[in-house]
């Protein structure tokens, strides 16, 4: 049995009878720390030792025996330290309080819990009190002893407790293995630890050996509890990963102050929306986006929000007061923002250090932002709310033509390696979900946004020539709110059904929220709602969740290595699977572009044609097959 790690201040002692292969247990604690006193007080108050360790120690001790042994050792250290204090009389009194009755005796239950063990129709109140005192001693005496121990620990804490400071070495507070991981990334002190965690965000512990989510969260909670002593604070994005820190809500950054939108300089007055303020005009425009995909709506809303925040903070203007000069400065701001608008680290909008940008936008991203803003202002001019569009003649700086790279796809050898890697995953719900995701992406060529929006109601038997077929197809809502029907291979449908059965088991356990059958996500989260950072409210994986799942799978394949001639899986992504689907469809259909266009959901057949142009192998084979084109040197 592998025991959890415990504070480095505890030295090892080979305890007899320990199972072979177990980690060393703690027997000597050199310096009592603030959290040690909290842990001991909790156990004396009746809290289970393992639970008290989880609550108060930076790394805890999950094994009940190890936690109880740690408590005994800490109490022994407290008694030993009392011998060395100058205030002899007070120290001796505290020692007697801690030594009264063995701490290792059976924990005394409450009187109410004791009474519940007996039939009150048989035993009277006086008889139950007598039984309690026979088994556990006098209740008032037990209570007095417990209070005396608490007072003794409190007195010793004031005299000898070690308080964490930001310049303390991590080796004085954490276990040797964790300290080794910290040293490898340059973290030597508690202050370095907070700085490192803040810079990495909620997933700071990735790459640390034997440091999972639970232990990492416990360590962060410990740091949060001692912020006043360390004189440093954890960032908001780190606090977002805590179950409960007890801290006050994080205030919003000044950059995110609410932007007042009022009628400005260029309003025309009467308009077809009946809007009397910029706020009403914005709501009218948002209503027109209902025909666009959720991904596009979110992108448009984000760019317009960023424009309004910038205009209010940097120019002191609202929506309808922005002129052509402001528009030009805004476009330059997007590609070269000042430092106080940038946070290069990932964080949430509710975090204290959130900023609208992580870096300057590329020419392509700036063009997308301009398209979103032009959509808004074009609508406002068309409805006569504004007299002109200040962004109409604005052009983003060109950085060369950007073309879809469809060469990033998998070969047949790659696909065999992918399926072998999926089959080699540990058997269980997570493996079955991975197989279902791969089947779905390779059978339907879906975009990430399309995948996360699919529900079981979208999977129906295909109708062919008016008759219901035994095969199933997906009704997919793609870009531009255009629907397409994509047939699925039977293996993909079966994989999805197995994944659905796993979700239904979690629903029965209360881990995942129950929804009507047609609304069950095709691909679900397999974690509880609290920890499902990559899931939506109904338990389906989010776009970020799908991205993370696929990237992690391919990174693991890259680590394990493969045979010669395989692709670099460390660079692979969801879109590689879509490109692979496109190439496979064209090869299977004899380069039938209309069929491939409908399956991929391309608005233009020219986009689908890029896949045909990209297949160099087919072009080479075609050239070599033209035997009539023979040069003079090849003639016999």
């Amino acid at each position: 049995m592998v025991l959890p790690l415990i504070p480095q201040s505890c030295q090892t002692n080979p305890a007899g009878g320990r199972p072979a292969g177990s980690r060393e247990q703690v027997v000597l604690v050199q310096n009592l720390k603030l959290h040690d006193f909290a842990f001991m007080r909790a156990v004396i108050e009746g809290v289970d030792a393992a639970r008290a360790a989880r609550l108060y120690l930076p790394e805890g001790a999950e094994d009940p025996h190890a936690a109880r042994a740690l408590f005994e050792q800490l109490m022994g250290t407290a008694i030993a330290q009392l011998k060395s204090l100058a205030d002899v009389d007070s120290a001796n009194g505290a020692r007697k309080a801690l030594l009264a009755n063995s701490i290792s005796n059976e924990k005394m239950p409450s009187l109410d819990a004791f009474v519940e063990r007996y039939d009150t129709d048989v035993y009277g109140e006086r008889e139950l009190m007598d039984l309690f005192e026979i088994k556990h001693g006098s209740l008032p005496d037990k209570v007095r002893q417990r209070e005396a121990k608490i007072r003794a620990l409190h007195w010793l804490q004031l005299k000898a407790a070690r308080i964490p400071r930001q310049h303390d070495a991590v080796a004085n507070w954490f276990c040797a293995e964790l300290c080794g991981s910290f040293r490898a990334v340059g973290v030597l002190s508690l202050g370095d630890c907070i700085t490192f965690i803040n810079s990495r965000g909620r997933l700071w512990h990735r790459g640390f050996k034997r440091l999972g989510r639970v232990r990492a969260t416990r360590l962060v909670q410990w740091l949060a509890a001692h912020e006043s002593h360390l004189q440093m604070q954890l960032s908001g994005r780190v606090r977002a990963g805590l179950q409960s820190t007890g801290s006050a809500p994080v205030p919003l950054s000044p950059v995110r102050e609410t932007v007042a939108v009022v009628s400005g300089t260029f309003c025309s007055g009467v308009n077809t929306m009946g809007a009397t303020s910029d706020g009403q005009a914005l709501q009218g425009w948002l209503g027109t986006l209902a025909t666009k995909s959720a991904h596009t709506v979110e992108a448009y809303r984000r760019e317009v929000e960023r424009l309004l925040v910038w205009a209010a903070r940097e120019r002191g203007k609202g929506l309808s007061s922005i002129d052509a000069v402001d528009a030009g400065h805004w476009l330059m701001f997007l590609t070269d923002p000042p430092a106080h608008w940038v946070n290069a680290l990932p964080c949430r909008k509710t975090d204290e250090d959130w900023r609208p940008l992580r870096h300057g936008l590329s020419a392509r991203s700036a063009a997308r932002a301009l398209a979103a803003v032009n959509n808004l202002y074009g609508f406002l001019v068309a409805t006569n709310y504004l007299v002109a569009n200040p962004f109409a003649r604005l052009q983003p700086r060109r950085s060369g033509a950007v073309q879809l790279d469809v060469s990033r796809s998998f070969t047949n050898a790659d696909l065999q390696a992918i399926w072998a890697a999926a089959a080699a995953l540990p058997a269980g719900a997570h493996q079955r979900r991975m197989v279902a995701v791969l089947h779905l992406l390779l059978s339907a060529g879906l975009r990430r946004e399309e995948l996360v929006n699919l529900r079981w109601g979208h999977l129906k038997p295909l109708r062919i020539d008016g008759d219901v077929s035994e095969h199933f197809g997906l009704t997919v809502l793609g870009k531009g709110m255009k629907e397409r029907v994509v047939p699925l291979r039977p293996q993909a449908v079966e994989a999805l059904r197995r994944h659905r059965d796993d979700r239904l088991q979690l629903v029965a356990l209360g881990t995942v929220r129950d929804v009507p059958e047609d609304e069950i996500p095709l691909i679900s989260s397999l974690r509880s709602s609290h920890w499902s950072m990559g899931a939506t409210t109904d338990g389906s994986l989010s776009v970020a969740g799908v991205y993370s799942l696929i990237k992690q799978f391919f990174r693991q394949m890259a680590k394990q290595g493969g045979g010669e001639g395989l692709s670099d899986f460390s660079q692979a992504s969801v879109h590689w699977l879509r490109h692979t689907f496109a190439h496979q469809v064209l090869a299977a259909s004899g380069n039938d572009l209309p069929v491939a266009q409908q399956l991929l959901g391309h608005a233009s057949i020219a986009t689908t044609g890029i896949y045909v142009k990209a297949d160099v192998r087919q072009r080479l084979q075609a050239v070599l097959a033209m035997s009539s084109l023979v040069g003079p040197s090849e003639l016999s």
Side-chain angles (χ1 to χ4, degrees):
M1 177 180 66
V2 178
L3 296 180
L5 298 178
I6 43 185
Q8 172 64 16
S9 56
C10 308
Q11 305 299 316
T12 62
N13 180 37
R18 186 172 63 246
S22 67
R23 298 189 65 83
E24 54 269 20
Q25 297 192 19
V26 179
V27 294
L28 178 62
V29 181
Q30 295 177 342
N31 294 298
L32 288 175
K33 302 175 179 64
L34 203 59
H35 58 250
D36 294 330
F37 286 98
F39 168 65
M40 288 188 288
R41 281 196 297 268
V43 176
I44 291 173
E45 289 283 3
V47 178
D48 177 74
R51 182 170 182 270
R54 290 194 297 270
L55 288 173
Y56 297 109
L57 301 183
E59 296 178 80
E62 299 290 344
D63 183 80
H65 298 293
R68 191 69 189 181
L70 177 59
F71 171 75
E72 297 283 1
Q73 294 145 19
L74 290 171
M75 289 294 290
T77 301
I79 293 169
Q81 285 195 356
L82 286 168
K83 291 182 180 180
S84 63
L85 296 180
D87 190 345
V88 177
D89 292 338
S90 298
N92 285 338
R95 284 183 66 240
K96 289 179 181 179
L98 294 182
L99 287 168
N101 290 344
S102 173
I103 302 302
S104 61
N105 283 349
E106 180 186 1
K107 185 180 71 174
M108 181 183 69
S110 67
L111 183 59
D112 289 339
F114 180 81
V115 169
E116 288 180 357
R117 303 175 186 174
Y118 297 89
D119 187 349
T120 54
D121 291 334
V122 177
Y123 295 92
E125 183 178 338
R126 182 65 259 175
E127 291 173 307
L128 289 171
M129 289 295 295
D130 291 340
L131 285 171
F132 185 90
E133 292 191 3
I134 291 171
K135 187 168 183 60
H136 299 288
S138 171
L139 180 60
D141 289 344
K142 291 288 186 180
V143 172
R144 282 194 294 269
Q145 289 175 3
R146 181 178 294 176
E147 291 176 348
K149 292 180 192 297
I150 297 297
R151 287 195 300 270
L153 286 178
H154 180 69
W155 184 81
L156 179 59
Q157 177 179 319
L158 295 175
K159 297 287 184 180
R162 183 170 181 175
I163 296 173
R165 302 296 184 188
Q166 63 176 276
H167 299 298
D168 288 351
V170 291
N172 293 334
W173 295 91
F174 306 139
C175 70
E177 186 175 32
L178 179 57
C179 290
S181 297
F182 274 134
R183 280 194 299 272
V185 293
V187 173
L188 302 178
S189 68
L190 293 181
D192 294 339
C193 184
I194 291 183
T195 301
F196 175 79
I197 291 173
N198 283 344
S199 69
R200 295 281 294 271
R202 291 181 297 103
L203 302 179
W204 64 270
H205 58 284
R206 280 191 172 176
F208 280 47
K209 291 182 179 179
R210 285 179 47 80
L211 185 63
R213 182 181 62 237
V214 175
R215 284 183 62 208
T217 300
R218 182 182 302 145
L219 191 147
V220 172
Q221 286 174 326
W222 181 83
L223 290 171
H226 293 90
E227 284 178 335
S228 60
H229 301 302
L230 296 168
Q231 297 183 337
M232 295 181 70
Q233 287 190 335
L234 294 163
S235 71
R237 63 178 166 274
V238 175
R239 288 180 177 277
L242 298 179
Q243 294 185 28
S244 175
T245 61
S247 57
V250 178
L252 296 181
S253 164
V255 173
R256 297 198 67 248
E257 290 176 354
T258 303
V259 181
V261 282
V262 295
S263 296
T265 310
F266 303 106
C267 283
S268 62
V270 179
N271 57 84
T272 57
M273 290 184 294
T276 58
S277 70
D278 285 359
Q280 292 180 8
L282 276 174
Q283 291 301 316
W285 170 70
L286 288 170
T288 66
L289 301 181
T291 58
K292 297 186 178 296
S293 69
H295 180 70
T296 301
V297 171
E298 173 59 22
Y300 277 24
R301 185 206 58 76
R302 180 178 62 248
E303 298 302 342
V304 169
E305 180 186 44
R306 188 154 53 193
L307 166 68
L308 294 179
V309 174
W310 172 84
R313 299 287 296 174
E314 301 293 333
R315 315 292 285 187
K317 294 183 177 182
L319 173 71
S320 56
S321 298
I322 296 173
D323 56 30
V325 175
D326 299 324
H329 282 284
W330 168 77
L331 192 57
M332 288 188 290
F333 154 79
L334 289 181
T335 56
D336 187 21
H340 64 279
W341 281 86
V342 175
N343 187 346
L345 300 170
C347 57
R348 299 182 177 191
K349 283 191 174 183
T350 52
D351 292 345
E352 184 178 6
D353 51 355
W354 179 86
R355 296 294 182 270
L357 291 166
R358 292 184 61 183
H359 47 69
L361 300 186
S362 65
R364 187 179 184 185
S365 296
R368 283 198 294 262
L370 182 59
V373 171
N374 265 319
N375 186 284
L376 165 64
Y377 277 85
F379 169 78
L380 296 180
V381 171
T383 57
N384 206 39
Y385 182 75
L386 295 181
V387 296
N389 175 6
F391 297 88
R393 299 186 64 82
L394 205 59
Q395 294 291 332
R397 183 179 61 193
R398 296 185 179 276
S399 60
V402 179
Q403 177 141 326
L404 180 66
D405 184 3
V406 299
S407 63
R408 294 190 169 192
S409 59
F410 296 114
T411 64
N412 289 334
D414 291 335
L415 292 175
Q416 290 180 7
I418 288 171
W419 288 119
L425 291 173
H430 287 275
Q431 185 219 27
R432 289 189 287 272
R433 181 179 64 180
M434 190 71 247
V435 171
V437 169
L438 290 173
H439 268 300
L440 195 56
L441 291 173
L442 287 169
S443 291
L446 302 174
R447 304 176 178 94
R448 278 183 294 167
E449 296 78 11
E450 296 169 346
L451 174 65
V452 301
N453 291 324
L454 287 172
R455 302 294 181 266
W456 272 89
H458 295 131
L459 182 65
K460 297 177 181 178
L462 292 172
R463 298 186 69 88
I464 301 175
D465 297 329
D467 298 325
V468 177
S469 167
E470 61 180 0
H471 296 284
F472 284 81
L474 280 172
T475 302
V476 181
L477 189 63
K479 285 186 175 181
M481 302 297 286
K482 294 180 179 178
E483 281 191 356
R484 68 183 190 276
V485 176
V486 182
L488 286 185
R489 295 169 63 85
Q491 298 94 320
V493 177
E494 183 57 31
L496 290 171
R497 284 174 176 157
R498 287 196 293 266
H499 171 54
R500 181 183 60 180
D501 291 341
D502 289 329
R503 177 194 165 95
L504 293 178
Q505 290 183 16
L506 294 176
V507 170
L509 294 172
T511 303
V512 177
R513 186 165 69 91
D514 192 15
V515 295
E517 184 176 358
D518 280 356
E519 297 176 18
I520 295 176
L522 276 189
I523 303 298
S524 297
S525 170
L526 297 175
R527 294 177 178 173
S528 64
S529 58
H530 175 76
W531 288 113
S532 295
M533 298 301 180
T536 59
T537 54
D538 64 356
S540 68
L541 281 186
S542 64
V543 173
V546 172
Y547 174 84
S548 177
L549 184 71
I550 293 295
K551 289 296 289 186
Q552 185 177 0
F553 174 73
F554 285 139
R555 286 195 194 105
Q556 188 61 33
M557 287 190 65
K559 279 184 181 180
Q560 294 173 352
E564 294 183 5
L566 295 181
S567 299
D568 181 4
F569 288 105
S570 65
Q571 302 298 316
S573 65
V574 177
H575 231 61
W576 283 42
L577 297 169
R578 177 171 164 82
H579 294 329
T580 302
F581 170 79
H583 287 299
Q584 295 276 342
V585 164
L586 286 168
S589 64
N591 287 338
D592 191 325
L593 288 179
V595 169
Q597 178 193 9
Q598 293 176 24
L599 289 172
L600 290 164
H602 287 154
S604 170
I605 200 168
T607 305
T608 313
I610 295 174
Y611 289 95
V612 178
K613 297 175 186 176
D615 198 334
V616 179
R617 184 182 295 103
Q618 287 185 347
R619 281 181 276 170
L620 175 62
Q621 291 173 349
V623 171
L624 294 177
M626 293 186 291
S627 57
S628 59
L629 299 179
V630 180
S633 61
E634 297 173 88
L635 296 175
S636 56

